[in-house]
Every structure is written in C-alpha cells, then in structure tokens.
Amino acid sequence: AQKITQTQPGMFVQEKEAVTLDCTYDTSDQSYGLFWYKQPSSGEMIFLIYQGSYDEQNATEGRYSLNFQKARKSANLVISASQLGDSAMYFCAMREAGAGSYQLTFGKGTKLSVIP
Amino acid sequence: ETGVTQSPTHLIKTRGQQVTLRCSSQSGHNTVSWYQQALGQGPQFIFQYYREEENGRGNFPPRFSGLQFPNYSSELNVNALELDDSALYLCASSLARGHPNTEAFFGQGTRLTVV
C-alpha cells in the first residue's frame, strides 16, 4: 500500500482564490511528521509547512495552512490568496518515527497552475 | 536559499559509465540524505548518512553508494549506469536524524541524463 497518496495530478486555481491540495497517508506509527514541499521548475524542494502527529492545532505558515484530520489520516494543504508564483509541483511527505533512518516518504505530487 | 549546494547541476553520461554527485550540507547539519526523482514522480529515498556512516537505505541496488566526509559534505556514486538512472538527484541535509519533525533542507538537485 502506498504510504502517501495525492489523488490530484493537476489543479487549477484563479489568482487570489484559495485552493486545497489533498493528501492521505498510511502508517501504524503513533509518532510521525507530515510535510509539504513546493517544487518549482528549477527543481529545488522548498519546505512549506509541518504537522506533527501529536499536534492538536492545525499548522499555519503565512498563506499556508494544513487541515490535519488524524482519524481520517489526511493532511490537506490549503493555500489562501493564490499568487502566480504559487504555480509549481506540490509534494506531501511523511517521516515515521519507526523508520530508523527517518527518511521522508513522498507522494507523487500535484501540479498547481494559478490562472491570472 | 537553503545553504545546501549540489554539483554539478546537469550531467550527461553514457550507459555503463560511473558518476559522482556532490553535496555540501547546510552549516551545522550532520545528516545528509539522497533522493532520486524520476520524471513525473515524487522523490525516492536512496540512503542517509549520519556522522560519516550509512544510517539507512532505500530499495536501491549496491551500485548506488555514498560517502560522508568529516565536514558532513557527501557524495553519491553510481556505477554501471543504466538508462533508468536518468533522474533528478536531490540531496537533503538536516540537523539531526532522530525526530519526526526534523526539517530537511534540499539542494537544487543534479539532473543526470544517461544516454
């Protein structure tokens, strides 16, 4: 079974509107972390936001917020007031405490296109 | 900018050759991980180095090997290159290996093309 599932290969959003990118995950660990990264065409993975499995509040970082629903094992990224510069690939990733090397496991990504 | 630098940025190699990719981690970071990102896919974990020792490995054959140096910079070596090795190779450094919330800072990647 896939550990990280991103079901939206591509999304379009109008500039200044909000958009939600979906992510579901699968783990039996109690302690884990969920990350969202942005990857522009240049290739660099840019960290956006983090949510810990024990965090009771949803994480927020500026225009980014994470809608964390632990029972449903979902960690959706919400981008408010979209800007043209938000056009990029977005990856959801998980780090599990039970994995000895603490590697990040990534989903396949969602390509976001912001329309003027 | 994350402070993680990778070289070279682009590389073209012939099938069967060997390649070495380099990564300078962010200052103070003692853990380096390498990922392979094929076109249209998410990054796949290759291995991680912590204090100069391999600390974990993904599902990659032994012809993928690495090193970490005392200054925590790292190399990824790939022998006997195959066409499927064509990908973006990403290096990520982090302060510590040991906690789920440890943020990883990525470099800009090396785009390897095998012909």
Side-chain angles (χ1 to χ4, degrees):
Chain A
Q2 289 201 17
K3 284 188 175 280
I4 297 287
T5 302
Q6 294 181 254
T7 57
Q8 306 152 314
M11 289 282 285
F12 290 89
V13 64
Q14 204 77 36
E15 193 178 5
K16 300 181 185 178
E17 297 292 313
V19 63
T20 298
L21 306 183
D22 295 341
C23 172
T24 57
Y25 60 92
D26 183 28
T27 181
S28 56
D29 283 0
Q30 296 300 309
S31 179
Y32 53 89
L34 297 158
F35 301 77
W36 277 93
Y37 284 86
K38 172 184 178 182
Q39 187 178 44
S41 56
S42 60
E44 183 177 353
M45 300 289 279
I46 301 168
F47 167 76
L48 296 178
I49 196 167
Y50 163 82
Q51 180 84 42
S53 58
Y54 293 119
D55 294 342
E56 295 184 353
Q57 304 274 353
N58 284 344
T60 60
E61 289 284 350
R63 294 188 298 111
Y64 304 108
S65 60
L66 202 151
N67 184 2
F68 181 46
Q69 298 188 43
K70 193 170 181 176
R72 298 180 61 187
K73 292 189 174 178
S74 75
N76 298 338
L77 176 70
V78 180
I79 305 174
S80 63
S82 295
Q83 302 172 356
L84 295 178
D86 294 335
S87 294
M89 286 293 294
Y90 288 80
F91 290 94
C92 179
M94 177 172 63
R95 177 180 275 124
E96 298 166 273
S101 61
Y102 299 100
Q103 71 263 28
L104 288 167
T105 302
F106 287 84
K108 293 187 175 182
T110 295
K111 183 175 182 179
L112 178 66
S113 300
V114 180
I115 305 166
Chain B
E1 290 220 348
T2 64
V4 180
T5 57
Q6 293 186 241
S7 62
T9 55
H10 294 83
L11 199 55
I12 300 175
K13 287 287 190 177
T14 303
R15 189 171 50 182
Q17 284 188 314
Q18 179 266 344
V19 68
T20 297
L21 310 182
R22 295 178 174 82
C23 172
S24 294
S25 58
Q26 186 159 319
S27 177
H29 284 189
N30 57 19
T31 303
V32 173
S33 302
W34 286 90
Y35 293 82
Q36 180 196 64
Q37 186 179 17
L39 197 62
Q41 301 294 318
Q44 298 288 317
F45 174 73
I46 303 175
F47 46 55
Q48 181 183 84
Y49 278 82
Y50 171 68
R51 293 185 176 179
E52 302 179 55
E53 292 194 1
E54 188 179 292
N55 184 45
R57 189 178 186 92
N59 190 25
F60 281 82
R63 59 189 185 84
F64 286 77
S65 62
L67 282 173
Q68 188 180 30
F69 300 99
N71 66 355
Y72 302 134
S73 66
S74 178
E75 287 182 354
L76 165 66
N77 299 291
V78 187
N79 293 323
L81 283 167
E82 300 176 0
L83 297 179
D84 284 349
D85 295 334
S86 296
L88 179 69
Y89 288 85
L90 293 162
C91 166
S93 77
S94 52
L95 182 56
R97 63 173 179 168
H99 194 277
N101 77 346
T102 302
E103 181 183 339
F105 295 88
F106 284 82
Q108 82 283 9
T110 293
R111 196 167 296 278
L112 173 65
T113 302
V114 182
V115 297

